[in-house]
Amino acid sequence: MKVRASLKSLKEKPGSIVVRRRGKVYVINKKNPRWKGRQG
């Protein structure tokens, strides 16, 4: 999982979903799990 200041590049990948959990923003991608990320 990558920790980034901005998730813009990750959320534009095909199959990405932006999710908020416990006050943090995550990008999860079932098609290609290497594009998982967390903001901050």
Side-chain angles (χ1 to χ4, degrees):
M1 179 181 295
K2 299 182 175 100
V3 179
R4 305 196 161 204
S6 171
L7 294 176
K8 196 169 187 181
S9 58
L10 287 179
K11 77 179 185 190
E12 286 164 5
K13 308 277 189 200
S16 323
I17 308 160
V18 179
V19 184
R20 295 196 63 177
R21 289 181 189 160
R22 299 184 211 96
K24 296 191 172 89
V25 184
Y26 292 88
V27 173
I28 52 179
N29 196 325
K30 293 262 165 69
K31 288 183 187 166
N32 196 338
R34 93 174 200 232
W35 284 325
K36 286 194 298 192
R38 176 170 75 78
Q39 176 135 31

